Amino acid sequence: MIGKVLVANRGEIALRIIRACRELGVRSVAVYSTADRDSLHHELADESVCIGPPPAASSYLNVPAIISAAELTGADAVHPGYGFLAENARFAEICERVGLRFVGPASGTIARMGDKAEARGAAAEAGVPVTPGSEGSCESVDEVKRVGAEVGYPLVIKASAGGGGKGMRVVETEAEIDAAYLGASREAGANFGDGSVYVEKYLERLRHVEVQVLADSYGETVTFPERDCSVQRRYQKLIEESPAPDLPEDVREGLMAASAELVGSLDYEGAGTVEFVYADGEFYFIEMNTRLQVEHPVTEMISGVDIVAEQLKVVSGERLVVPKDALSPDGHAIEFRINAEDPLRNFLPQAGLVEVYNPPGGPGVRVDSHLYAGYRVPPYYDSLLAKLIVHARDREASIRRGLRALDEFAVSGMETTLPLHLAVLEDEEFRRGGVTTRFLADRELESEGGLLRLTRT
Amino acid sequence: MIGKVLVANRGEIALRIIRACRELGVRSVAVYSTADRDSLHHELADESVCIGPPPAASSYLNVPAIISAAELTGADAVHPGYGFLAENARFAEICERVGLRFVGPASGTIARMGDKAEARGAAAEAGVPVTPGSEGSCESVDEVKRVGAEVGYPLVIKASAGGGGKGMRVVETEAEIDAAYLGASREAGANFGDGSVYVEKYLERLRHVEVQVLADSYGETVTFPERDCSVQRRYQKLIEESPAPDLPEDVREGLMAASAELVGSLDYEGAGTVEFVYADGEFYFIEMNTRLQVEHPVTEMISGVDIVAEQLKVVSGERLVVPKDALSPDGHAIEFRINAEDPLRNFLPQAGLVEVYNPPGGPGVRVDSHLYAGYRVPPYYDSLLAKLIVHARDREASIRRGLRALDEFAVSGMETTLPLHLAVLEDEEFRRGGVTTRFLADRELESEGGLLRLTRT
Amino acid sequence: MPEIDENRPLPLREVEQLVELVRESGVGEIRVRQGETEISVKARPEVPATPFGNQVASGTQVVPEGVESEPSPEMDGLHAVRSPVVGTFYRAPAPGEDAYVEVGDTVSAGQPLCIVEAMKLMNEIVADVSGEVVEVLAENAGGVEYDQPLFYLRPDEQ
Amino acid sequence: MPEIDENRPLPLREVEQLVELVRESGVGEIRVRQGETEISVKARPEVPATPFGNQVASGTQVVPEGVESEPSPEMDGLHAVRSPVVGTFYRAPAPGEDAYVEVGDTVSAGQPLCIVEAMKLMNEIVADVSGEVVEVLAENAGGVEYDQPLFYLRPDEQ
């Protein structure tokens, strides 16, 4: 087993990793910006190093500072969490070069799957269905038009280096292509320093489903039951659950098999997630995240597997030992992302003093959070305050447990997405299960007697 | 399903029951004393009624006030939790008489098993091994001497109506019997209003193991894998785990079968626990608790069954539906009772303002507690502040998770048993597993650099 | 000891300024002493009184029959007669009979004011002071909890 | 007892300055007494500043090489030169050479004080004010974190 891990992240995920280290007897090193001096990850790690001023570019994205901190503290490995440097192939490469084990796949794999157009190619090669569209990136407007003629409209133009909806344009007819291509390419260039784009058929009513995978350095790969992350707002996931409600058994098996195929073709190591869209009985690969995801606890709850502990074991060169029964879902789990955002003011990010913090307890409730009463949420980083994960015998019971736990969850000092989640759980279509990614976009939020309520528009 | 449940208790167990009600869509009514105006059970229940001044005799044991509160709020059922009125046969009988469903077995069953001497008889009748000793209670010193001659010394004289070590005397030789009989009988009379006593062979090196049972009104009984509650201080359990470490498989099966036999012979309904001592490969019945126990979450964690929800279903006349795989342990769970007691000052009870309260989170951690920052622990009731339950793949992993979670558990404003639990988890004998009930008595607590440590005396 | 002008007004302006300073600055406490004048201003300890639940409307705290649990405290010299038991409040000894007392009545200590029935037992509640009945706080035939104010009396001047 | 000018206003300016000092410095309390004047300012009892963990000894907060993370604040007019990067602190340009500066030296703004090495890059840290080197706060060849004070300088009078 490795002896000391530097956790190159902050917030709840840094805490998650530190907890896993503690339970494995591995020492942990926190890094923190001056804005995070009072943060729990700094408090709970065995050691900690201040790496820079508040802006992420100077601290949590500051590669030299993080590498120096690892060297100074004698860390053997670096766990990047999610976000920040987690999918930065260059950072992984530097770690490799200086002899630090990077908790994740090889830098080459990160780079390859980080290029969305190339990842599509890898999936297609592995026999995994991809959305009809271009092979690799489109170098010109004409290429886009050729794909349009072939697969039909609407189309979506996406940034190869992209994510989060940036550098993305939907085109309904061929006439719109010129402007959209230019716009997408420019936006991609501005956001990712790489203007190349690719094209896919645009599926309108789709669900986002994904498969958690774990692979060790001996070629063993396990794929877990799928997660459904269709409740999103502007491409940001808000609620994730597993298993996906109302999914035909053959689709579930197809997803797991396709993911195993793809991962097997990559010489992959560590944790990763293969993301798909699912519509009209068909699923298509969209991308692969070569890192731990925010929603990994959902899978932990229904499998009993500690994914972060497994990551640390894999990077230590141990073999994966996942019991067979972990691979069929035990009950149902739902995760709610509690963000510091005001749902009634267009999800305006909130910062400031957390006055009251009392997370829910009792059976089937897990909370991953870096909050405490008296903590100041700094305005510099993302708005995730806490993840509430509930687990029960079936989806119906999980929803009722979710309502109970969300209702108990006491946070004051700022607006949060807690009331939004309560509103989603009261929505009939959500309760039936199997909503599409348009679920929230198709609804309006109304305030009613202090509570929120969703109404179809 | 019943529509409204009055929760005749306070603290974490009241909260536990209210949570179960919420998840089942059952309305809950809290009752509270004037000392509990700021309590969470009062806050989180759907309705609440103040039933009396702080002393338990005038509030939580005040039968007329509780029955009136149930009538005023239109409750269909009363859940007594544990302690207070939970094993008060008269209270159960009054509930029956006024048409309130009592969440528990019939009053006659409570009365029968409440008499420890009679319970021994019931067990023996059902073919369950009981500790060698008197049949029923001993009416005279001579009867005790006769038993002594038969089963050998040491003997223990116990109060028939007893519990918690009151009215209990250990005698090493016949010469000590006269004084011990008188003392035990007097103490029993003073504490329970009933001076009758019975006699058992005194087993010195024993483990406390117990079996959780659930029975419905259709004659269906399920028995769960055993719990080990040997870490005790003065007959008060401090740590409970399931399954019991290092217990031969045939003993486990014997315990479950014996419990099923006994419960089957009683026409039992609801949740209960059959308690045994285990020594030298043999187990003996000691008593049955006809109620929910503090440590029920340990069983919930390894079985996935929500025992309180099942209680409410049973009292509603529903059939038990417990999946077969719930009856073999899934992993290992340990519960730690965090009490407001100062381990370094002879466990002096603490009361007052909770300044900081931040329970641990992350995977495999459950907290059942009524605390919040700013809560005042009143001096009138028992000292249980919180239960921390950890669950992991095996005992070793649970212990490491327990260390991690106990370390994270932040409570300030009073001394608690948190550091004691950390010390127990660091003890080699505990880590090996299978300690006897003398574990704590055989050790001294020492303070070392702010931490506690146990040393064998 | 120097002579002190006991009639000097309290330095309320300065207190106000310090209060402002405590609030704005976020510090916990300021004490200033100058000669015989000493002012101390403490921030309110942050701890929340009862911060919980009720994000969902169902979690409302209901006293039976919607009677208010904590009415405004005794002030203006009024005296509250509180219920010593949980039960049903009756203003009259039996159905159809007159109420024991009406607002405006003068009652003497020991005089019955109402009945609170609990488990078929009729508990007569008596005035514990002499005075005038100013307000009846509970509803006839409604539920009352322990310690709930039932009447406001204005005690006789002694 | 001396005579006291009871009409002297409270020293609100000084209070404000102390409040500022408490807030900026992060200390818990400042008390000043001078003759009949006494001022005390306490920080708000942080709903715990850092209330966590460390029930187990392993949870100690260690800055690399045991260098103090938060030394006492600049006071007595001292100026701290802080590390702009995470790295290894060297007092001399190269092994075996003399330290850039010693305690007691006078340095001028822009003059090199030390090197902090990070990823094989030698970052020369220069004095940002002119003055006297009062204390060297980091250990030679030890690790320093971002913002860690390396030297105290006493700036020249302007």
Side-chain angles (χ1 to χ4, degrees):
Chain A
M1 201 67 185
I2 45 173
K4 197 186 270 191
V5 172
L6 182 137
V7 182
N9 216 303
R10 65 179 300 282
E12 69 85 19
I13 195 62
L15 223 56
R16 172 71 188 89
I17 299 161
I18 290 164
R19 285 169 170 157
C21 288
R22 286 226 147 171
E23 293 182 8
L24 290 172
V26 173
R27 285 184 70 81
S28 54
V29 180
V31 295
Y32 62 99
S33 76
T34 52
D36 278 340
R37 281 198 198 284
D38 293 332
S39 67
L40 270 190
H41 77 284
H42 164 35
E43 293 296 320
L44 290 179
D46 293 313
E47 301 175 41
S48 54
V49 180
C50 182
I51 50 165
S58 313
S59 50
Y60 298 105
L61 291 169
N62 181 345
V63 174
I66 290 169
I67 298 286
S68 294
E71 287 179 344
L72 286 177
T73 53
D76 320 301
V78 173
H79 195 310
Y82 53 71
F84 295 132
L85 298 169
E87 286 177 300
N88 185 319
R90 203 185 120 252
F91 177 63
E93 197 193 319
I94 293 171
C95 288
E96 287 160 14
R97 223 165 45 212
V98 301
L100 276 168
R101 294 191 233 188
F102 178 83
V103 180
S107 57
T109 310
I110 299 176
R112 187 171 176 204
M113 301 314 275
D115 183 310
K116 306 299 172 196
E118 205 178 323
R120 269 170 65 85
E125 232 170 80
V128 174
V130 300
T131 329
S134 59
E135 272 179 42
S137 50
C138 289
E139 306 299 337
S140 69
V141 167
D142 286 345
E143 254 188 79
V144 179
K145 289 182 180 168
R146 199 168 40 72
V147 175
E150 205 180 299
V151 307
Y153 290 83
L155 283 182
V156 56
I157 305 177
K158 289 180 173 177
S160 296
K166 277 167 189 152
M168 186 161 151
R169 291 287 187 284
V170 175
V171 291
E172 302 285 344
T173 64
E174 196 183 290
E176 294 169 33
I177 286 183
D178 291 76
Y181 180 85
L182 201 68
S185 182
R186 269 198 198 137
E187 208 170 294
N191 276 288
F192 311 111
D194 172 4
S196 65
V197 296
Y198 65 104
V199 179
E200 284 177 354
K201 181 155 178 57
Y202 182 62
L203 300 168
E204 283 181 272
R205 296 268 152 203
L206 54 86
R207 290 165 62 181
H208 177 110
V209 291
E210 60 185 32
V211 174
Q212 173 75 52
V213 302
L214 268 178
D216 67 18
S217 53
Y218 305 92
E220 173 82 14
T221 301
V222 292
T223 53
F224 291 88
E226 80 292 342
R227 297 188 288 248
D228 186 322
C229 317
S230 300
V231 178
Q232 305 186 347
R233 183 180 168 274
R234 302 198 176 159
Y235 308 104
Q236 301 296 318
K237 297 166 188 167
L238 275 169
I239 295 179
E240 302 99 347
E241 57 185 308
S242 182
D246 205 22
L247 197 71
E249 196 49 46
D250 61 320
V251 173
R252 168 165 305 146
E253 281 162 16
L255 286 167
M256 287 170 75
S259 304
E261 279 299 326
L262 173 58
V263 173
S265 75
L266 293 177
D267 196 20
Y268 200 82
E269 204 182 304
T273 299
V274 186
E275 300 198 325
F276 298 90
V277 293
Y278 171 68
D280 308 321
E282 303 287 331
F283 62 85
Y284 306 102
F285 169 86
I286 43 172
E287 64 179 72
M288 177 165 184
N289 289 327
T290 54
R291 54 166 168 88
L292 188 66
Q293 281 189 305
V294 177
E295 60 268 31
H296 75 275
V298 165
T299 299
E300 294 183 324
M301 300 295 269
I302 58 143
S303 69
V305 173
D306 184 330
I307 292 172
V308 181
E310 294 302 325
Q311 285 188 299
L312 295 172
K313 289 184 197 162
V314 165
V315 84
S316 302
E318 295 188 13
R319 281 180 187 278
L320 273 182
V321 187
V322 174
K324 258 277 160 292
D325 68 357
L327 304 182
S328 52
D330 172 25
H332 191 96
I334 312 179
E335 174 178 284
F336 305 92
R337 299 194 191 186
I338 320 289
N339 295 333
E341 294 169 0
D342 185 349
L344 285 178
R345 290 196 297 164
N346 204 25
F347 292 81
L348 189 72
Q350 311 278 298
L353 182 70
V354 176
E355 291 162 1
V356 171
Y357 177 68
N358 215 56
V365 168
R366 167 175 170 185
V367 177
D368 278 39
S369 174
H370 56 297
L371 293 202
Y372 58 87
Y375 174 69
R376 265 185 193 283
V377 176
Y380 308 103
Y381 313 110
D382 85 33
S383 61
L384 185 63
L385 295 179
K387 303 189 304 202
L388 166 66
I389 307 103
V390 294
H391 181 223
R393 201 181 283 182
D394 53 37
R395 185 170 192 267
E396 165 77 25
S398 295
I399 289 176
R400 282 176 293 151
R401 185 155 279 169
L403 281 167
R404 186 275 286 177
L406 287 163
D407 180 43
E408 269 180 36
F409 208 133
V411 181
S412 83
M414 65 197 60
E415 299 300 324
T416 73
T417 49
L418 276 166
L420 173 71
H421 290 303
L422 284 164
V424 172
L425 291 192
E426 298 286 2
D427 184 277
E428 259 181 55
E429 201 181 321
F430 178 83
R431 292 185 89 124
R432 273 201 303 276
V435 300
T436 71
T437 53
R438 293 199 49 79
F439 175 78
L440 274 182
D442 285 346
R443 281 163 175 76
E444 256 176 15
L445 256 183
E446 276 166 25
S447 178
E448 204 183 88
L451 300 179
L452 296 187
R453 168 206 272 282
L454 290 169
T455 327
R456 268 200 89 104
T457 48
Chain B
M1 199 68 186
I2 45 173
K4 196 186 271 190
V5 173
L6 182 136
V7 182
N9 216 306
R10 64 179 301 284
E12 70 84 19
I13 195 61
L15 223 57
R16 172 72 188 88
I17 299 162
I18 291 165
R19 284 168 170 158
C21 288
R22 286 227 146 169
E23 293 181 7
L24 290 171
V26 172
R27 284 183 69 80
S28 54
V29 180
V31 295
Y32 62 99
S33 77
T34 52
D36 277 341
R37 281 197 198 285
D38 293 332
S39 67
L40 270 190
H41 77 284
H42 165 36
E43 294 295 320
L44 290 178
D46 292 314
E47 301 174 40
S48 54
V49 180
C50 181
I51 50 165
S58 313
S59 50
Y60 299 104
L61 291 169
N62 181 344
V63 174
I66 290 169
I67 298 287
S68 294
E71 287 179 343
L72 287 176
T73 54
D76 319 302
V78 173
H79 195 310
Y82 54 70
F84 294 131
L85 299 168
E87 286 178 299
N88 183 319
R90 203 184 120 255
F91 177 64
E93 198 194 318
I94 292 171
C95 288
E96 287 161 12
R97 223 166 43 213
V98 302
L100 276 168
R101 293 191 233 189
F102 179 82
V103 180
S107 57
T109 310
I110 298 175
R112 187 170 176 204
M113 301 314 277
D115 184 308
K116 307 299 174 197
E118 205 178 324
R120 268 170 65 85
E125 232 171 80
V128 174
V130 299
T131 329
S134 59
E135 271 180 42
S137 50
C138 289
E139 307 299 338
S140 68
V141 165
D142 286 346
E143 254 186 79
V144 177
K145 290 183 180 167
R146 198 167 39 73
V147 174
E150 204 181 299
V151 307
Y153 291 83
L155 283 181
V156 57
I157 305 178
K158 289 181 173 176
S160 296
K166 278 168 188 153
M168 187 160 150
R169 291 287 187 285
V170 176
V171 289
E172 302 285 346
T173 63
E174 196 183 290
E176 294 169 33
I177 286 184
D178 291 75
Y181 180 86
L182 201 68
S185 182
R186 269 200 199 135
E187 206 170 296
N191 276 287
F192 312 110
D194 172 4
S196 64
V197 296
Y198 65 104
V199 179
E200 285 177 354
K201 182 156 179 56
Y202 182 63
L203 301 168
E204 284 181 272
R205 295 269 152 202
L206 54 85
R207 290 165 63 182
H208 176 111
V209 291
E210 61 184 33
V211 175
Q212 172 75 54
V213 302
L214 268 178
D216 67 18
S217 53
Y218 305 92
E220 173 83 13
T221 302
V222 293
T223 52
F224 291 87
E226 80 291 343
R227 297 187 289 248
D228 186 321
C229 317
S230 300
V231 179
Q232 306 185 347
R233 183 181 168 272
R234 303 200 176 162
Y235 308 105
Q236 300 296 319
K237 297 167 187 165
L238 275 169
I239 296 180
E240 301 100 347
E241 58 184 308
S242 182
D246 205 22
L247 198 72
E249 196 51 43
D250 61 321
V251 173
R252 169 166 303 146
E253 282 162 17
L255 286 167
M256 287 170 75
S259 304
E261 279 301 324
L262 173 59
V263 173
S265 76
L266 292 177
D267 196 20
Y268 200 82
E269 204 181 305
T273 300
V274 187
E275 300 198 326
F276 299 90
V277 293
Y278 171 68
D280 309 320
E282 302 288 330
F283 62 85
Y284 306 102
F285 169 86
I286 43 173
E287 65 178 71
M288 176 166 185
N289 289 327
T290 55
R291 54 164 168 89
L292 188 65
Q293 280 188 306
V294 177
E295 59 269 31
H296 75 276
V298 165
T299 299
E300 293 183 325
M301 300 296 269
I302 58 141
S303 69
V305 173
D306 183 329
I307 291 172
V308 181
E310 294 302 325
Q311 284 188 299
L312 295 172
K313 288 184 199 162
V314 165
V315 85
S316 303
E318 294 187 13
R319 278 178 189 280
L320 273 183
V321 187
V322 174
K324 259 276 159 293
D325 67 359
L327 303 183
S328 52
D330 172 24
H332 191 96
I334 312 179
E335 174 178 283
F336 305 92
R337 300 194 191 187
I338 321 290
N339 295 334
E341 295 169 359
D342 185 349
L344 284 179
R345 290 197 296 165
N346 203 26
F347 292 82
L348 189 72
Q350 310 279 298
L353 183 71
V354 176
E355 289 161 3
V356 171
Y357 177 68
N358 216 56
V365 168
R366 167 176 170 184
V367 177
D368 278 39
S369 174
H370 56 297
L371 292 203
Y372 57 87
Y375 174 68
R376 264 184 194 284
V377 176
Y380 307 103
Y381 313 111
D382 83 36
S383 61
L384 184 64
L385 296 179
K387 302 188 307 205
L388 166 66
I389 308 102
V390 294
H391 180 222
R393 203 181 281 182
D394 53 37
R395 185 168 191 268
E396 164 76 26
S398 295
I399 289 176
R400 282 176 293 151
R401 185 156 280 169
L403 281 167
R404 187 274 286 176
L406 287 163
D407 181 43
E408 271 181 35
F409 208 133
V411 180
S412 83
M414 64 197 63
E415 298 301 323
T416 73
T417 50
L418 277 166
L420 172 70
H421 290 304
L422 284 163
V424 172
L425 291 191
E426 298 287 2
D427 184 277
E428 258 181 54
E429 201 181 322
F430 178 83
R431 292 184 89 125
R432 273 201 304 277
V435 301
T436 72
T437 53
R438 294 199 49 79
F439 175 77
L440 275 182
D442 285 346
R443 281 163 174 76
E444 256 176 18
L445 258 183
E446 276 166 24
S447 179
E448 202 181 271
L451 299 179
L452 296 188
R453 168 204 273 281
L454 289 170
T455 327
R456 268 201 89 105
T457 47
Chain C
M1 258 318 242
E3 224 157 277
I4 295 161
D5 179 5
E6 292 290 346
N7 294 320
R8 203 153 52 93
L10 285 179
L12 289 183
R13 262 199 86 85
E14 285 83 354
V15 171
E16 275 172 19
Q17 283 170 306
L18 289 178
V19 165
E20 195 56 22
L21 200 54
V22 164
R23 287 180 50 196
E24 300 237 310
S25 67
V27 299
E29 181 176 357
I30 300 178
R31 285 160 163 276
V32 184
R33 189 154 75 96
Q34 188 158 55
E36 286 303 309
T37 304
E38 180 166 351
I39 303 172
S40 153
V41 178
K42 276 189 200 179
R44 181 197 286 252
E46 299 259 326
V47 254
T50 51
F52 292 98
N54 307 338
Q55 282 145 2
V56 133
S58 70
T60 44
Q61 306 314 313
V62 188
V63 161
E65 321 298 312
V67 188
E68 228 177 75
S69 154
E70 282 299 334
S72 45
E74 289 81 336
M75 31 177 176
D76 301 325
L78 294 186
H79 173 81
V81 178
R82 292 164 180 269
S83 178
V85 291
V86 182
T88 308
F89 173 80
Y90 292 109
R91 295 194 49 198
E97 292 186 20
D98 287 347
Y100 284 102
V101 291
E102 296 291 348
V103 169
D105 286 2
T106 300
V107 296
S108 43
Q111 183 177 332
L113 298 175
C114 65
I115 278 174
V116 177
E117 186 228 302
M119 294 191 77
K120 314 278 179 263
L121 277 177
M122 301 296 161
N123 301 281
E124 218 176 52
I125 313 299
V126 301
D128 46 350
V129 298
S130 303
E132 182 198 339
V133 177
V134 174
E135 198 177 345
V136 184
L137 297 157
E139 210 176 319
N140 190 48
V144 292
E145 54 183 359
Y146 173 78
D147 215 33
Q148 182 174 330
L150 305 174
F151 296 91
Y152 276 146
L153 306 183
R154 187 184 313 283
D156 294 340
E157 308 276 331
Q158 297 287 300
Chain D
M1 255 325 234
E3 222 158 280
I4 294 161
D5 179 4
E6 290 291 345
N7 294 320
R8 200 148 56 91
L10 283 180
L12 289 181
R13 261 199 88 85
E14 285 81 356
V15 172
E16 274 172 20
Q17 283 170 311
L18 289 178
V19 164
E20 196 55 22
L21 201 52
V22 164
R23 287 178 51 195
E24 300 240 308
S25 66
V27 299
E29 181 175 358
I30 300 179
R31 283 159 164 277
V32 182
R33 190 149 76 97
Q34 187 160 53
E36 286 302 308
T37 305
E38 180 167 350
I39 304 173
S40 149
V41 178
K42 274 190 203 180
R44 185 189 285 246
E46 302 254 330
V47 183
T50 49
F52 292 102
N54 309 337
Q55 282 145 359
V56 135
S58 69
T60 43
Q61 306 314 312
V62 188
V63 159
E65 321 299 313
V67 188
E68 227 177 76
S69 154
E70 284 296 336
S72 47
E74 290 81 335
M75 28 175 179
D76 300 327
L78 293 186
H79 172 82
V81 178
R82 292 164 180 271
S83 178
V85 292
V86 182
T88 308
F89 173 79
Y90 292 109
R91 293 194 50 196
E97 293 187 18
D98 286 347
Y100 283 102
V101 292
E102 297 291 351
V103 170
D105 285 3
T106 301
V107 296
S108 44
Q111 182 178 332
L113 299 175
C114 65
I115 277 173
V116 178
E117 187 228 303
M119 294 190 77
K120 316 273 178 267
L121 276 177
M122 301 296 162
N123 300 280
E124 218 176 54
I125 313 299
V126 301
D128 46 349
V129 297
S130 303
E132 181 197 342
V133 177
V134 174
E135 197 177 347
V136 184
L137 298 158
E139 210 175 320
N140 191 47
V144 292
E145 55 183 357
Y146 173 79
D147 215 31
Q148 181 174 331
L150 306 175
F151 297 90
Y152 275 145
L153 306 183
R154 187 184 311 285
D156 293 341
E157 307 278 331
Q158 298 285 303

